[in-house]
């Protein structure tokens, strides 16, 4: 077995969604449409935040970074999905698979931290409105975002090194659409206990830790909203959190399904659908959610469209 391990792992073959060749090209077109819409929507959101002074607030500063992460996050996986569909399979070298796993984990971790920071921002805005400007200063915002990037980098490095020091043997086919942790664990052999413990520990510092910050923040927000005497005031205050809460529910719901359940290295067609949802669909939906459910964004967009018509 030791000799086999030394010679086997030079490349991985991605074969997800190739069991039905007749569906490959329609799915390719669908993913292409989703990816283009993701780029257009998130670049549009970043541009809108930059050009409209009314959106130069802490919440939209964090949202611009979330949009940038969604572009990067989607770009790591969706083009690879399209290549798998177009070629009915794709071969990745060991190094390229590790690089994709690192970038995917890096951008995904930052997404989690940014959503947690946005929850804290909403907590300060709702529970301490008079101190909001003094608490969420530009320096604090920059430190928050820098901390999210550094923590994401550290987590991604540790998890990637841990995952790719595993021994892989047997079939090198990954019945998936990119190099993700569950299918890699299925291909591993030998004693992987130490690596799996490290991976799980650092996963706890990303998903559950971010969820705790979000849940605690919204617990205080709900208490503050319930103390508002008028129903209209409660609805207006809650509406400032609705977009973020929708994004959090979609993103963390799918992450919990994929990574915080006991699958013992097993995965199914259902997992592939869920992975497509959080890597391709959610980054596309986020700018739509913030555009349709946010009054300031709708007004800024309407202002730009009016200018375009007049010119």
């Amino acid at each position: 077995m030791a000799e086999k391990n030394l010679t086997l792992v030079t490349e991985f073959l991605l074969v997800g969604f190739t069991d039905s060749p007749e569906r490959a090209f329609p799915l390719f077109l669908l993913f292409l449409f989703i990816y283009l819409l993701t780029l257009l929507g998130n670049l549009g959101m970043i541009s809108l935040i930059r050009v409209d002074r009314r959106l130069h607030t802490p919440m939209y500063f964090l949202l611009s970074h979330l949009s940038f992460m969604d572009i990067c996050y989607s770009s790591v996986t969706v083009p690879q999905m399209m290549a798998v569909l177009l070629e009915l399979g794709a071969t990745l070298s060991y190094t390229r698979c590790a690089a994709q796993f690192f970038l995917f984990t890096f951008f995904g971790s930052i997404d989690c931290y940014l959503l947690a920071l946005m929850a804290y921002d909403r907590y300060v805005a709702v529970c301490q409105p008079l101190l909001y400007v003094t608490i969420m200063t530009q320096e604090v915002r920059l430190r928050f975002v820098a901390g999210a990037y550094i923590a994401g980098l550290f987590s991604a490095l540790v998890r990637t090194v841990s995952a790719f020091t595993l021994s892989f043997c047997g079939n090198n086919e990954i019945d998936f659409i990119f190099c993700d942790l569950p299918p890699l664990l299925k291909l591993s052999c030998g004693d992987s206990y130490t690596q799996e413990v490290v991976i799980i520990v650092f996963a706890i510092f990303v998903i559950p830790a971010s969820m705790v910050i979000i849940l605690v923040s919204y617990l205080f927000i709900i208490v503050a909203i319930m103390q508002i005497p008028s129903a209209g005031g409660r609805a207006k205050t809650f509406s400032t959190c609705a977009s973020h809460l929708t994004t959090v529910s979609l993103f963390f719901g799918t992450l919990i399904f994929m990574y915080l359940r006991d699958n013992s290295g097993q995965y199914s067609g259902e997992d592939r659908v869920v992975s497509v949802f959080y890597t391709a669909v959610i980054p596309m939906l986020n700018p739509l959610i913030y555009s349709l459910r946010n009054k300031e964004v709708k007004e800024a967009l309407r202002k730009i469209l009016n200018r375009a018509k007049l010119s």
Side-chain angles (χ1 to χ4, degrees), residues 176-296:
F176 216 59
I177 43 184
F178 58 92
C179 289
D180 200 8
L181 187 58
L184 287 172
L185 289 178
K186 188 178 181 181
L187 295 182
S188 68
C189 58
D191 183 13
S192 62
Y193 177 77
T194 302
Q195 290 95 328
E196 290 188 35
V197 168
V198 172
I199 290 169
I200 291 170
V201 167
F202 275 86
I204 290 172
F205 282 105
V206 179
I207 302 175
S210 299
M211 289 180 63
V212 167
I213 295 172
I214 291 168
L215 290 174
V216 171
S217 297
Y218 273 101
L219 178 63
F220 282 106
I221 288 171
I222 290 171
V223 171
I225 289 175
M226 295 304 294
Q227 293 174 350
I228 298 174
S230 66
R234 290 195 295 269
K236 183 178 179 180
T237 304
F238 181 77
S239 67
T240 64
C241 307
S243 298
H244 177 257
L245 199 54
T246 303
T247 300
V248 164
S249 301
L250 291 172
F251 187 71
F252 281 98
T254 53
L255 288 185
I256 289 169
F257 179 86
M258 284 296 294
Y259 301 113
L260 297 186
R261 62 193 174 99
D262 181 19
N263 56 15
S264 302
Q266 302 299 315
Y267 58 98
S268 63
E270 189 178 48
D271 293 326
R272 288 199 295 267
V273 173
V274 173
S275 69
V276 167
F277 189 75
Y278 76 82
T279 58
V281 178
I282 290 179
M284 176 193 70
L285 291 178
N286 282 345
L288 295 176
I289 292 170
Y290 277 93
S291 298
L292 297 175
R293 301 182 64 92
N294 193 292
K295 183 179 178 181
E296 289 90 350

Side-chain angles (χ1 to χ4, degrees), residues 8-268:
L8 270 182
V9 182
T10 58
E11 61 185 21
F12 296 98
L13 180 62
L14 301 178
V15 294
F17 289 133
T18 60
D19 50 345
S20 302
E22 68 280 0
R23 298 180 184 176
F25 190 66
L27 284 174
F28 169 82
L29 294 177
L30 176 62
F31 285 143
L32 178 61
F33 174 75
I34 290 173
Y35 183 57
L36 292 176
L37 201 58
T38 299
L39 294 179
L40 180 64
N42 284 288
L43 286 173
M45 181 64 71
I46 294 170
S47 302
L48 194 64
I49 292 170
R50 288 183 64 87
V51 301
D52 196 301
R53 294 185 62 84
R54 291 174 299 178
L55 302 182
H56 292 180
T57 64
M59 183 179 75
Y60 292 109
F61 174 77
L62 295 173
L63 178 58
S64 66
H65 281 273
L66 182 68
S67 293
F68 177 63
M69 283 300 105
D70 281 344
I71 291 172
C72 298
Y73 186 65
S74 183
S75 296
V76 171
T77 55
V78 178
Q80 183 65 69
M81 295 180 198
M82 293 190 291
V84 171
L85 290 167
L86 198 60
E87 301 170 12
L88 296 180
T91 301
L92 291 183
S93 67
Y94 186 91
T95 303
R96 187 176 170 189
C97 185
Q100 186 183 59
F101 180 82
F102 167 77
L103 291 172
F104 171 74
T105 306
F106 175 53
F107 296 132
S109 299
I110 296 174
D111 251 11
C112 291
Y113 292 135
L114 286 174
L115 288 170
L117 291 174
M118 292 171 77
Y120 175 74
D121 171 81
R122 291 299 83 207
Y123 155 73
V124 177
V126 172
C127 301
Q128 303 183 54
L130 298 179
L131 299 176
Y132 182 71
V133 176
T134 57
I135 293 175
M136 297 298 293
T137 62
Q138 184 175 4
E139 182 181 357
V140 169
R141 283 178 266 166
L142 291 173
R143 287 181 178 179
F144 276 166
V145 171
Y149 279 65
I150 293 170
L153 176 63
F154 184 63
S155 175
L157 278 173
V158 172
R159 296 187 72 201
T160 303
V161 170
S162 299
F164 283 86
T165 52
L166 292 170
S167 298
F168 299 103
C169 57
N171 189 0
N172 71 337
E173 286 190 358
I174 297 179
D175 188 15
F176 216 59
I177 43 184
F178 58 92
C179 289
D180 200 8
L181 187 58
L184 287 172
L185 289 178
K186 188 178 181 181
L187 295 182
S188 68
C189 58
D191 183 13
S192 62
Y193 177 77
T194 302
Q195 290 95 328
E196 290 188 35
V197 168
V198 172
I199 290 169
I200 291 170
V201 167
F202 275 86
I204 290 172
F205 282 105
V206 179
I207 302 175
S210 299
M211 289 180 63
V212 167
I213 295 172
I214 291 168
L215 290 174
V216 171
S217 297
Y218 273 101
L219 178 63
F220 282 106
I221 288 171
I222 290 171
V223 171
I225 289 175
M226 295 304 294
Q227 293 174 350
I228 298 174
S230 66
R234 290 195 295 269
K236 183 178 179 180
T237 304
F238 181 77
S239 67
T240 64
C241 307
S243 298
H244 177 257
L245 199 54
T246 303
T247 300
V248 164
S249 301
L250 291 172
F251 187 71
F252 281 98
T254 53
L255 288 185
I256 289 169
F257 179 86
M258 284 296 294
Y259 301 113
L260 297 186
R261 62 193 174 99
D262 181 19
N263 56 15
S264 302
Q266 302 299 315
Y267 58 98
S268 63

